Amino acid sequence: MTARTLPKVLCVDDEPALLRSLRWLLRGEFEVTIASDPAQALAILGADRFDVIISDQRMPGMTGTEFLQHAKVTAPHAMRLLLTGYADFGAVVSALNDGDVFRYISKPWDNAKLIRAVQEAARLARMSRMRWSDFQDTHAPEDADEPPEELLLVEPDPALR
């Protein structure tokens, strides 16, 4: 029996105090990695698999919306959450649409609500990844001459065994 691994969360923000707060809040229930800028976060995403990505909106060099668009390509199965301390409705709509953001969370956040959002995001990411891996296992290789013979039972019938 293998031990269940904690969901992996990547937190991206240019404010060290905020990153410490997120790490402290999510510790124990999640494996938390932090990055202080989007470029560093993209390098981390390329080297490891995460269930959830939490990004601040306002960062130097790249907005959270832009970062999450890149993250969507690099880590398509990770759920993305956007933190922002300002009320720019256009940026939020752009993040939700272009970055395929799961949740928008305003600063300061409610700890219990943030934890629930990360729990739900991690659960959905793992479910999505499981469904995708199931599909990949049944996909025939492109170089196969003939498709493999397989039997799919929708309702198990003892007479067919």
Side-chain angles (χ1 to χ4, degrees), residues 32 43 47 58 64-66 80 86 96 99-100 108 118 125 145 149:
V32 181
R58 282 195 170 176
T65 302
E66 293 166 334
R80 293 163 292 282
Y86 70 104
L96 292 172
D100 198 16
V118 176
D145 293 333
E149 293 183 25

Side-chain angles (χ1 to χ4, degrees), residues 82-150:
L82 181 69
L83 291 174
T84 186
Y86 70 104
D88 180 354
F89 186 71
V92 171
V93 170
S94 176
L96 292 172
N97 293 331
D98 301 335
D100 198 16
V101 172
F102 174 67
R103 291 273 193 278
Y104 157 73
I105 300 164
S106 57
K107 292 192 244 177
W109 61 77
D110 174 280
N111 287 347
K113 287 181 182 179
L114 177 64
I115 290 171
R116 279 194 303 275
V118 176
Q119 288 169 335
E120 181 67 11
R123 184 182 68 78
L124 289 172
R126 288 189 167 194
M127 286 174 44
S128 173
R129 194 166 37 248
M130 284 186 340
R131 284 193 299 264
W132 178 252
S133 67
D134 289 346
F135 171 77
Q136 291 297 314
D137 290 344
T138 61
H139 186 265
E142 290 181 17
D143 60 347
D145 293 333
E146 295 180 25
E149 293 183 25
E150 296 180 4

Side-chain angles (χ1 to χ4, degrees), residues 69-90:
Q69 288 172 337
H70 292 293
K72 180 180 176 181
V73 174
T74 305
H77 298 294
M79 299 301 287
R80 293 163 292 282
L81 287 80
L82 181 69
L83 291 174
T84 186
Y86 70 104
D88 180 354
F89 186 71

